[in-house]
Amino acid sequence: LGFHLSGTVTEPAIQSEPETVCNVAISFDRCKITSVTCSCGNKDIFYCAHVVALSLYRIRKPDQVKLHLPISETLFQMNRDQLQKFVQYLITVHHTEVLPTAQKLADEILSQNSEINQVHGAPDPTAGASIDDENCWHLDEEQVQEQVKLFLSQGGYHGSGKQLNLLFAKVREMLKMRDSNGARMLTLITEQFMADPRLSLWRQQGTAMTDKYRQLWDELGALWMCIVLNPHCKLEQKASWLKQLKKWNSVDVCPWEDGNHGSELPNLTNALPQGANVNQDSSNRPHRTVFTRAIEACDLHWQDSHLQHIISSDLYTNYCYHDDTENSLFDSRGWPLWHEHVPTACARVDALRSHGYPREALRLAIAIVNTLRRQQQKQLDMFRTQKKELPHKSITLITNLEGWVGHPLDPVGTLFSSLMEACHMDDESFPGFSNFTENMGQCKSLEYQHLPAHKFLEEGESYLTLAVEVALIGLGQQRIMPDGLYTQEKVCRNEEQLISKLQEIELDDTLVKIFRKQAVFLLEAGPYSGLGEIIHRESVPMHTFAKYLFTSLLPHDAELAYKIALRAMRLLVLESAAPAGDLTRPHHIASVVPNRYPRWFTLSHIESQQCELASTMLTAAKGDVRRLETVLESIQKNIHSSSHIFKLAQDAFKIATLMDTLPDITLLKVSLELGLQVMRMTLSTLNWRRREMVRWLVTCATEVGVYALDSIMQSWFTLFTPTEATSIVATTVMSNSTIVRLHLDCHQQEKLASSARTLALQCAMKDPQNCALSALTLCEKDHIAFETAYQIVLDAATTGMSYTQLFTIARYMEHRGYPMRAYKLATLAMTHLNLSYNQDTHPAINDVLWACALSHSLGKNELAAIIPLVVKSVKCATVLSDILRRCTLTTPGMVGLHGRRNSGKLMSLDKAPLRQLLDATIGAYINTTHSRLTHISPRHYSEFIEFLSKARETFLMAHDGHIQFTQFIDNLKQIYKGKKKLMMLVRERFG
């Protein structure tokens, strides 16, 4: 009916659901669906399947859908009776729904003064809109808001981040189809983003938003940039967007562009021409939000005639033009150039692509790349001239405070993808934007091709070579490390994304030429290149990029590949003395960031990338002595982290000892050299992997050979602690497995053993507490060395050693068959010991019992000598009574050591030394009893009575013990008569 299509859509029954019939109504206007209704009740941003089905049916089978004039035309043809009949039938068919409305309208028409009678004619929903009316595709705004709100509330879970990205992709698709709803939809999305309650929460707490959420905001900002740069938008449209953007921008919680709420260095963009106002105090500058660039872009226009010519013609040249100024419109070949702040120029390319102008976008992209290449050549010439004029002056000028890789507008990525898309198109498929979008879908499966040259490409060049070259130019640009964790991570992420795209391209001879050309430029372009001879200490490091260049160039030009990789190894931010820099230049970073110690949040990632680069070079250099030496020097000079050097040492070791080949001895030596460096670096600092490192080093030295083992033992003090040297290094070297592994003859074994003994004695002197036992063990087979080690222990025993260490060595001496030496050490250990009355579970008790048993086995004199020491050191009654009991069971010296004779009589308890021990034991029981009674609780009473029973056994060993014990018990009853229950128990047991 006119501009209104209605129909019923039947959804067939499925297993669990019955057949459903939906009533669908669609209004359209100037080839756009302007409103839809469907009885299915589905709520979604997109049209339901029934609306789509009805639309497709009408498109595909126009003959099956009868076309009627608008209803007003049909009514006009009816007479009075027909009209009456029509209305009455209409009311009869739908009387329940329309009767109230019909009565209301009838009343109004019959009323002279009603509003309905003031208007001429009547509305017709089937007649279509007026020519002046807005016409746009139907968009359910409420649903857009609801969906975005829902996805945001899910905080990135349940795939909500993916859903939001799909919405952004839908906006891009709408822009490409030049659907005016694109901006409407983005406005609705942005409003929901701005209303997200988490924004104010994070701002209050000072916490950063999640990375994925940050990336959504970035995409939001980039989309607005595209929208305001629409080359065909009306001025009033742009004005309303600007007003809206400024409103959002002024909201307190609006996210900042760099993601860092405490940023000290806001990015400088086209709002500040490079070099101008650089000294402006950064604290006064307003923070840049995600919308700042779009707001600034509202001032940009497309009216420049040079720009218009570039984007509208493939034949725009000027061969008579003299290319002599910095901002020439054409180069020396007469090809057009476009000078503009690079990210801004690339934002134009993105806008053209986004709004469905792929050919125009490509033309501008080519002009920008040609401009960049010309600029690159000019910079190289300029730097060479400067070098000639000032040969001794090191220039560490920073030409870019705002790097292109990791930039919010992703200029390099934009140029690269525009040119790569062009690789899939031939000229036929280019003109219409509908074809353009169809081809977009196939990009994944197509091979990249060198398609025939465009007008402004050198011979042999193609869109593909241009894409690769611009990526290399961007990645190699010297740029300052931005502020804040988010922006620094973005630099890494963007770089890795670009490189992974480059890795998908197979290098042929044409591309290798470009790699060579750019590599040479990067090495020679001084301050314009991140791989220049001298760079600023806060330049973004080039390790990741250099690794890609190295692996790409290695098969074609190894010399150049190594030059690039070795140059990139530096990490100046960790050097203590960085070059001072050239303060005479206006761009110099010192003028922007005074005395800022760099806060490199991504430093650990950067260091691991540096390590990866070094490892890649080591692998490639296997078998090449000269290169390995150069790589080793570079690692030793540039890598500052012990764990990374250790990883490289391990990598080199693995590469050198691959199973299928003989070990590469040069690479093994590199591995050992790096291992030694790690040992020196971590010797005086705590490192949780230190033991693993030491063990690994010995394994590595073993692979290198006997001289390496000898060497590390001779210079042990620069590499290991005394404990490590004796317990790990020397012990491993002296083990059977090492001797077998190295096939050592007797002479070599003795030489190693001699070095190990010398090391052991030096370590024992330096740290007797921890090394004496290992030293004795290592010196067992050499009498003189063993005696020396024993003497070191004796000298240290009086001052620096604990009873635990001395008892351990004493037991070892007994085990080796030196009982008198063991006894000597045991007596020294006793002098350091102090066991109080309540330490009846102390770990040293076993050692004391062992020492007394050893003395007892040696004879009466030895026992007599140790008992005074025991009495002095041990105040614990149960331990003393245990010793006393053992001494009375057998005769001293009965073991018959060394054939010594003894009388065979048991020792008397009435004479020294046992009398002294008995008295001390009784005294200890008395003291312990009093101590225990001061704090005793009823639940310990029975235990206390048992303790007194044990005490009685000891008392009774003395000849007057019975009397002593009775007096002792009486004493207790008198002193502690207040503890009635306890004393009653004492009386019951002891009278």
Side-chain angles (χ1 to χ4, degrees), residues 590-850:
S591 57
V592 181
V593 199
N595 313 321
R596 178 176 73 119
Y597 182 76
R599 294 173 64 214
W600 283 30
F601 298 99
T602 50
L603 196 56
S604 61
H605 173 76
I606 288 165
E607 285 188 282
S608 65
Q609 290 300 304
Q610 182 190 34
C611 180
E612 284 290 308
L613 173 61
S615 182
T616 308
M617 282 198 280
L618 282 175
T619 311
K622 183 178 179 177
D624 186 328
V625 178
R626 182 177 67 84
R627 292 222 193 278
L628 280 173
E629 281 172 2
T630 317
V631 175
L632 173 64
E633 275 172 34
S634 177
I635 291 168
Q636 290 174 322
K637 181 183 169 210
N638 295 302
I639 297 187
H640 302 275
S641 146
S642 58
S643 57
H644 287 127
I645 296 176
F646 183 48
K647 182 192 176 296
L648 287 170
Q650 290 175 303
D651 287 354
F653 184 76
K654 277 180 207 145
I655 303 159
T657 55
L658 287 170
M659 284 317 208
D660 53 348
T661 54
L662 283 168
D664 181 317
I665 194 65
T666 314
L667 197 48
L668 267 179
K669 284 179 182 169
V670 166
S671 174
L672 180 65
E673 197 55 53
L674 291 171
L676 295 172
Q677 187 179 346
V678 172
M679 290 298 106
R680 289 189 284 268
M681 287 171 83
T682 55
L683 179 58
S684 54
T685 56
L686 288 172
N687 190 307
W688 60 275
R689 295 183 68 191
R690 177 76 188 174
R691 275 185 82 77
E692 177 199 350
M693 290 168 167
V694 175
R695 286 184 194 287
W696 178 87
L697 185 81
V698 178
T699 309
C700 180
T702 309
E703 283 297 318
V704 174
V706 66
Y707 68 92
L709 288 174
D710 200 36
S711 165
I712 64 170
M713 286 200 292
Q714 288 189 15
S715 56
W716 71 267
F717 46 88
T718 64
L719 305 168
F720 314 109
T721 64
T723 316
E724 291 166 347
T726 51
S727 66
I728 304 176
V729 183
T731 311
T732 312
V733 171
M734 296 299 290
S735 68
N736 280 334
S737 59
T738 306
I739 293 163
V740 172
R741 176 85 187 84
L742 292 171
H743 313 295
L744 300 181
D745 58 30
C746 296
H747 173 69
Q748 289 172 316
Q749 281 184 44
E750 181 43 45
K751 190 168 184 306
L752 265 191
S754 169
S755 292
R757 289 193 292 269
T758 308
L759 171 149
L761 293 173
Q762 288 171 344
C763 292
M765 287 287 286
K766 196 163 185 179
D767 184 3
Q769 295 95 322
N770 297 310
C771 301
L773 184 57
S774 299
L776 286 163
T777 314
L778 288 162
C779 296
E780 276 172 3
K781 292 181 181 167
D782 184 288
H783 179 68
I784 296 171
F786 189 79
E787 289 300 317
T788 311
Y790 175 64
Q791 197 52 52
I792 290 169
V793 175
L794 287 182
D795 293 346
T798 47
T799 51
M801 295 182 79
S802 70
Y803 61 81
T804 318
Q805 291 160 336
L806 288 167
F807 275 132
T808 307
I809 297 168
R811 284 180 181 245
Y812 160 81
M813 279 292 185
E814 187 200 24
H815 179 64
R816 300 307 306 163
Y818 296 103
M820 283 311 292
R821 288 181 174 183
Y823 167 75
K824 172 80 175 149
L825 290 168
T827 58
L828 288 168
M830 287 301 296
T831 60
H832 293 299
L833 183 66
N834 188 10
L835 282 184
S836 65
Y837 76 91
N838 57 354
Q839 288 182 295
D840 49 3
T841 57
H842 194 282
I845 291 170
N846 279 334
D847 289 323
V848 174
L849 296 174
W850 168 81

Side-chain angles (χ1 to χ4, degrees), residues 134 138 213 342 346 405 465 479 482 487 603 684 729 904 963:
E134 269 293 306
H138 170 69
Y213 188 55
V342 173
C346 296
V405 172
T465 61
R479 52 199 183 269
T487 36
L603 196 56
S684 54
V729 183
I963 300 160

Side-chain angles (χ1 to χ4, degrees), residues 295-359:
I295 290 168
E296 290 172 352
C298 288
D299 295 337
L300 298 173
H301 58 79
W302 296 83
Q303 271 70 55
D304 183 282
S305 62
H306 182 57
L307 176 62
Q308 287 289 329
H309 282 118
I310 290 173
I311 63 177
S312 57
S313 167
D314 286 334
L315 304 168
Y316 177 47
T317 51
N318 186 337
Y319 297 114
C320 311
Y321 194 87
H322 296 295
D323 170 26
D324 52 4
T325 62
E326 185 66 30
N327 295 327
S328 302
L329 298 182
F330 300 88
D331 63 14
S332 51
R333 298 165 299 195
W335 296 355
L337 302 170
W338 180 245
H339 296 280
E340 189 172 28
H341 175 248
V342 173
T344 309
C346 296
R348 287 185 190 274
V349 174
D350 192 27
L352 286 167
R353 276 171 74 213
S354 302
H355 290 286
Y357 302 101
R359 182 181 275 289

Side-chain angles (χ1 to χ4, degrees), residues 6 78 84 113 162 256 379 562 613 634 667 714 901 951:
S6 53
M78 295 183 189
Q84 175 126 14
N113 302 325
K162 191 179 173 187
W256 293 349
Q379 287 171 344
Y562 277 100
L613 173 61
S634 177
L667 197 48
Q714 288 189 15
R901 287 178 35 222

Side-chain angles (χ1 to χ4, degrees), residues 43-46 141-154 163-164 167 192:
K43 292 283 185 191
D44 198 353
I45 292 177
F46 308 119
E141 299 197 354
E142 195 182 328
Q143 272 310 303
V144 173
Q145 287 168 313
E146 284 305 310
Q147 294 253 316
V148 176
K149 198 174 189 174
L150 173 68
F151 295 146
L152 286 173
S153 70
Q154 290 171 344
Q163 293 300 326
L164 287 164
L167 279 182
Q192 290 308 312

Side-chain angles (χ1 to χ4, degrees), residues 233-250:
C233 74
K234 299 188 181 103
L235 280 175
E236 57 270 23
Q237 239 178 352
K238 197 186 264 195
S240 75
W241 292 332
L242 179 61
K243 189 179 170 188
Q244 187 66 45
L245 286 164
K246 282 184 169 172
K247 186 180 129 199
W248 292 325
N249 192 61
S250 63

Side-chain angles (χ1 to χ4, degrees), residues 312-425:
S312 57
S313 167
D314 286 334
L315 304 168
Y316 177 47
T317 51
N318 186 337
Y319 297 114
C320 311
Y321 194 87
H322 296 295
D323 170 26
D324 52 4
T325 62
E326 185 66 30
N327 295 327
S328 302
L329 298 182
F330 300 88
D331 63 14
S332 51
R333 298 165 299 195
W335 296 355
L337 302 170
W338 180 245
H339 296 280
E340 189 172 28
H341 175 248
V342 173
T344 309
C346 296
R348 287 185 190 274
V349 174
D350 192 27
L352 286 167
R353 276 171 74 213
S354 302
H355 290 286
Y357 302 101
R359 182 181 275 289
E360 289 79 355
L362 181 64
R363 288 176 186 138
L364 182 55
I366 292 168
I368 294 168
V369 177
N370 281 331
T371 310
L372 289 178
R373 295 197 294 185
R374 171 180 172 273
Q375 189 185 340
Q376 201 182 39
Q377 190 54 50
K378 284 202 175 309
Q379 287 171 344
L380 180 59
D381 298 342
M382 190 165 94
F383 180 61
R384 282 177 177 158
T385 313
Q386 277 180 337
K387 263 182 95 171
K388 278 184 199 147
E389 290 168 6
L390 308 162
H392 306 300
K393 191 167 188 184
S394 35
I395 302 166
T396 59
L397 139 104
I398 281 281
T399 52
N400 278 291
L401 293 171
E402 188 180 48
W404 300 331
V405 172
H407 190 282
L409 300 177
D410 189 20
V412 179
T414 299
L415 292 175
F416 181 80
S417 45
S418 300
L419 291 159
M420 289 306 283
E421 273 167 19
C423 299
H424 304 310
M425 323 267 166

